[in-house]
Amino acid sequence: MAQITAAPSLGPSKCWLFVDMREDRVNWGNFMVNMSGYDPPNQAAYTWSQDMPAFYHGGSAGLAFCDGHAEIHRWRDPDTTPPIQEGQYFMDDVPDAGSQDIAWFQERTTRRKY
């Protein structure tokens, strides 16, 4: 039987609260990080679920964290920064196997504690 281990504690300085979102993905005013592939680890399962971060700051997005600090984070995977589709709105999930950016987000997203 597989042993369930506790997820590491994020702490407020490691947990994002707000993020810049792409204008062609704004839907319900929230931002969801798909945790597929996080536990158990499987980079082939990484997917952007409808929501994708903006890259309005030179390929980067602004994020605010729960401790009150803010960061500008540069995206590394070109799949995270496809051209904006002005006047269009997309609700499709975007598979992105092995994305460093999805891994980065998953490490800073709240998750179930075992």
Side-chain angles (χ1 to χ4, degrees):
M1 175 183 263
Q3 182 179 7
I4 296 175
T5 58
S9 175
L10 287 177
S13 67
K14 298 284 187 192
C15 186
W16 68 272
L17 183 61
F18 298 108
V19 62
D20 289 335
M21 189 169 175
R22 293 172 55 100
E23 65 189 66
D24 58 357
R25 292 278 179 166
V26 174
N27 45 26
W28 300 287
N30 63 350
F31 188 96
M32 184 183 99
V33 174
N34 186 326
M35 296 302 283
S36 297
Y38 180 76
D39 188 19
N42 178 8
Q43 293 183 355
Y46 287 173
T47 300
W48 292 108
S49 289
Q50 301 175 11
D51 300 330
M52 291 182 75
F55 51 94
Y56 303 133
H57 308 285
S60 306
L63 294 99
F65 287 77
C66 292
D67 69 345
H69 88 276
E71 293 180 13
I72 299 291
H73 181 78
R74 180 175 303 277
W75 306 118
R76 301 180 192 288
D77 184 342
D79 292 339
T80 306
T81 59
I84 297 290
Q85 303 295 314
E86 291 189 35
Q88 297 184 35
Y89 171 70
F90 294 93
M91 288 253 330
D92 298 333
D93 290 349
V94 179
D96 198 0
S99 171
Q100 294 177 33
D101 297 330
I102 291 175
W104 185 90
F105 249 119
Q106 287 180 344
E107 284 297 318
R108 289 156 182 81
T109 297
T110 58
R111 54 195 168 267
R112 184 177 178 188
K113 185 175 180 180
Y114 296 98

